[in-house]
Amino acid sequence: DLRRLARPENFLRVITITEVPSTYGRRDVVHVIRERCGVEVRPKDVVFRFKRWGRQSDTCYVLCPSLKDADHCVAQIQELAVPKRAAYGSLFGATFLWSSRATLFLCHPDLDFLVHDNKFWVCTTGWQEDMGEEEFLNLMNQLGFFPLCAIRHHILIDSSSAFFVQFEGMERTKRAMSRLRKLKWRWRIKREVPFFAYPRRIDVHREDEDSYADEDSAEDSELDEPVHY
């Protein structure tokens, strides 16, 4: 499922829906999208996130038929009231769904070993198609960003460029994300249009594993480093 979501042609077609009741399954989410948004989604295109020990999370990822449908669903599913238990209607009260493009999926051989275990990367997308790495770094320096390197990745669905940018230390990484957020507001980029993201490798747990290195709290020390803005 995750590899299918990460295909180049599916970039920007995947939306994230949060606050989904634990009693909901794929067909329940499909029904809500059909009734409230008028968009037909296949059940196999709804992928739930799972917590530790295999418990279903309140987050799911939905692959929409087109980019236009994804934009429409993001606009409609904002504080959308749905029954907590789909089979009983409003008998057990309601919950509110939210949607966004909070999670982007990318899969390409050139990106498999790019991030490794380094936490100091930031991804920014939406740049013009013919922009190269050197030109991008020069622009970043003019804007007050001083990354160590930038790796370009072509985005097929909208013919744009994305750049994976590495910084020195977590403090500079967080500061860069804060400044990119301000640039998105200053450049009047729509809220639902992704402009930057924090890249992470997909967390896959095998059935025969009992302990997971990524759940060691001692490994999160860099993320808690204080930032001075």
Side-chain angles (χ1 to χ4, degrees):
D1 285 336
L2 295 178
R3 284 201 175 274
R4 182 161 49 85
L5 294 181
R7 289 175 183 169
E9 64 270 19
N10 294 337
F11 190 74
L12 299 181
R13 287 172 52 196
V14 178
I15 66 172
T16 303
I17 301 180
T18 56
E19 305 299 330
V20 181
S22 59
T23 57
Y24 274 48
R26 291 183 172 187
R27 296 188 183 277
D28 297 316
V29 175
V30 168
H31 177 75
V32 169
I33 295 176
R34 183 194 303 118
E35 294 297 319
R36 303 298 184 91
C37 304
V39 175
E40 191 67 37
V41 176
R42 298 176 298 178
K44 72 174 185 178
D45 289 335
V46 178
V47 180
F48 278 91
R49 186 170 181 261
F50 284 84
K51 301 178 182 178
R52 195 176 184 182
W53 313 123
R55 291 177 297 176
Q56 181 176 298
S57 174
D58 64 350
T59 300
C60 70
Y61 310 112
V62 179
L63 176 60
C64 297
S66 67
L67 186 58
K68 182 179 179 180
D69 289 332
D71 291 336
H72 178 66
C73 289
V74 170
Q76 293 295 319
I77 306 176
Q78 298 296 330
E79 202 173 3
L80 179 64
V82 297
K84 284 187 176 180
R85 295 181 180 270
Y88 296 97
S90 59
L91 186 61
F92 288 90
T95 187
F96 298 93
L97 303 183
W98 299 84
S99 69
S100 65
R101 285 193 175 94
T103 305
L104 304 173
F105 294 91
L106 272 177
C107 182
H108 193 274
D110 295 340
L111 304 177
D112 286 348
F113 302 99
L114 177 64
V115 178
H116 290 287
D117 293 325
N118 193 319
K119 302 182 178 73
F120 311 142
W121 289 87
V122 175
C123 177
T124 175
T125 185
W127 302 89
Q128 62 189 56
E129 183 179 11
D130 58 350
M131 176 174 280
E133 295 174 357
E134 184 176 352
E135 183 180 359
F136 176 78
L137 286 174
N138 290 335
L139 176 61
M140 287 288 100
N141 291 336
Q142 292 177 15
L143 293 174
F145 296 85
F146 301 99
L148 299 177
C149 66
I151 306 297
R152 179 183 177 275
H153 179 73
H154 176 66
I155 303 299
L156 180 65
I157 193 170
D158 61 353
S159 298
S160 65
S161 295
F163 291 91
F164 288 82
V165 190
Q166 185 181 14
F167 292 91
E168 183 180 1
M170 181 54 69
E171 182 174 345
R172 291 181 181 271
T173 304
K174 290 181 177 179
R175 188 176 298 171
M177 294 186 69
S178 177
R179 297 196 62 187
L180 286 171
R181 185 179 295 107
K182 293 178 181 178
L183 283 178
K184 181 176 181 178
W185 176 83
R186 184 181 303 170
W187 291 348
R188 301 292 192 270
I189 300 175
K190 294 181 179 179
R191 185 184 62 84
E192 63 271 14
V193 175
F195 179 54
F196 67 95
Y198 183 69
R200 296 180 60 183
R201 291 185 300 174
I202 288 179
D203 182 15
V204 177
H205 290 171
R206 307 298 178 185
E207 189 174 0
D208 59 341
E209 293 179 331
D210 295 324
S211 60
Y212 315 109
D214 62 306
E215 293 180 352
D216 184 3
S217 60
E219 296 293 329
D220 297 334
S221 57
E222 287 287 356
L223 296 175
D224 299 329
E225 182 178 323
V227 178
H228 306 287
Y229 297 101

